[in-house]
Amino acid sequence: MLKIKSEILLKIGRRNNWREVAFFANANETKFEVREYYGQNKLAYIKEVSRFPFDSYGVATMNFDNIVRSREIDGYEIEHSLRTTIPCMPFLQFKPPAYSCDFKTPFREQFKTLNEPVVLPIHDGKRVYIKLGSESINSIQMVDIAGNSIEAPEKLVNELQLKVKISQLECAVIEGYLESDFGIRVVDVLMMNGMAIEQPYSSRIKAIKGVLGSSNIIRYIDATANHGELKQNKARHFLVKDNTKPCGGDSTFVVPNFYSIKVLVEKAYDYRPGYYKVMFTTESGYESIGDLYSPHEELHPNIQVQIAFKNVENGLPVGFWLSPIQNKEKLTYDETGTEMSQMQNLNEYWYGL
C-alpha cells in the first residue's frame, strides 16, 4: 500500500492531542485503506488506532473526508496536509541500489571514471535503508540491500521519531550502516519531504545532518577525496561516490581493504550465539586461530569459509570477520586451500588498492 495523502490534526487542551488520517492505495489502485493514528503531547508519539479497507475509490475517499470532518467537529484543527506528488515516487516505490565491486578493472582506474570522487571509509555495520514516514508521519521502516524488511532497533526508532517535524522532516529515505551497537552511521539521503535529492553529495549530507543532528545513536562518516593512502586506513572497505551525481546512481562502487584467506570452521559455541572457532590445517593436523562472529549466517563444523582481516600478530590473523569474498567451495567440507602456509604469502590474498 502507498500513502497518497493525509491530514495532520491537532487539538490543544491539557495535553496536545495529535491525529493523522491517512489514505492508502495499492499499486494498481484497486484496493484502498483509510488509517487513523493518535497520540498525545508530541507528534512523534502517534500510533495506529484504526484501519478501514475499501474496494471502491469513491467510498474510500468519502470515508476519509468524513473522518477528517468528524475530528474537526470534535475540536481538532488541520495542522498540515500531505499529498503525494510524482517526485515522491522514488520513496513510495523504492528499491535499494546495487553497488558494484569490479575486480577485473584496477581500482585506481575506476577512480578516474568519477568527476569528483568521495571516499567513505566503512569500519563496521550492515548497509540498510531507512524509510521514514511511509505510513504514519512518524513510521520508521528499515530494509536491507535486497529490499527485505528488517526490524529497526527500538532506540534508533525512538531517536528518529523525535526528529519528525512538520515542514522540516515529514518523510525521507536514508542510506546508512547499522553498526554492531545498533547505532546508524548515516552515509547519504535519497529523498526528503517528498522530493528526490539531486544535489551533490556534500549538499545532501549537509541537509540530512541539519534535520537529524548527531548523537550517540545517529552518526556520520568523515569522507575523504584522497584515495592515495587508503591501504593504511583501518576501514574494512570503502564506498566510493561521485560528488556530482545523485545518490543511488550507477557510478557508486565498493573498494575492499583487507586480506581474505581460507579457513575451516572448528565448532560453534552453544553459549555465544553467532560465534564460531576457526582453524588452519597444518602438516601435523589443525591449529585454532580464534573466534569468528557471523550473526547473519549459520555456519557448521568442518566447512570451509574465507575470513577477512587487516592485521597480523605472531604470524596469525587478528580481528577477522566473515569475508564478503567466498569461493564456490564455501559451505563444503573440502580442506584444500585452508593451509596455514597462506600466511607466508599474504600479498597474494590482498584485496584493495
Side-chain angles (χ1 to χ4, degrees), residues 1-2 26-28 86 88-96 131 173:
M1 286 283 185
L2 312 178
N26 64 357
N28 56 8
I86 292 300
C88 249
M89 295 313 288
F91 172 60
L92 295 174
Q93 298 179 346
F94 172 71
K95 292 183 179 180
K131 300 195 291 184
V173 174

Side-chain angles (χ1 to χ4, degrees), residues 270-334:
D270 294 332
Y271 59 93
R272 297 172 67 197
Y275 282 89
Y276 304 85
K277 184 178 285 293
V278 295
M279 60 187 178
F280 284 132
T281 55
T282 66
E283 293 181 358
S284 58
Y286 305 96
E287 180 167 338
S288 298
I289 61 172
D291 296 339
L292 171 66
Y293 183 51
S294 177
H296 305 299
E297 182 173 1
E298 183 180 5
L299 306 177
H300 300 281
N302 301 317
I303 65 169
Q304 180 188 119
V305 297
Q306 287 206 43
I307 58 170
F309 59 96
K310 291 276 295 181
N311 300 308
V312 177
E313 291 182 5
N314 300 319
L316 295 175
V318 293
F320 48 82
W321 63 95
L322 187 66
S323 175
I325 299 171
Q326 298 292 339
N327 294 343
K328 63 181 180 180
E329 292 85 2
K330 181 175 179 285
L331 302 182
T332 72
Y333 298 91
D334 185 4

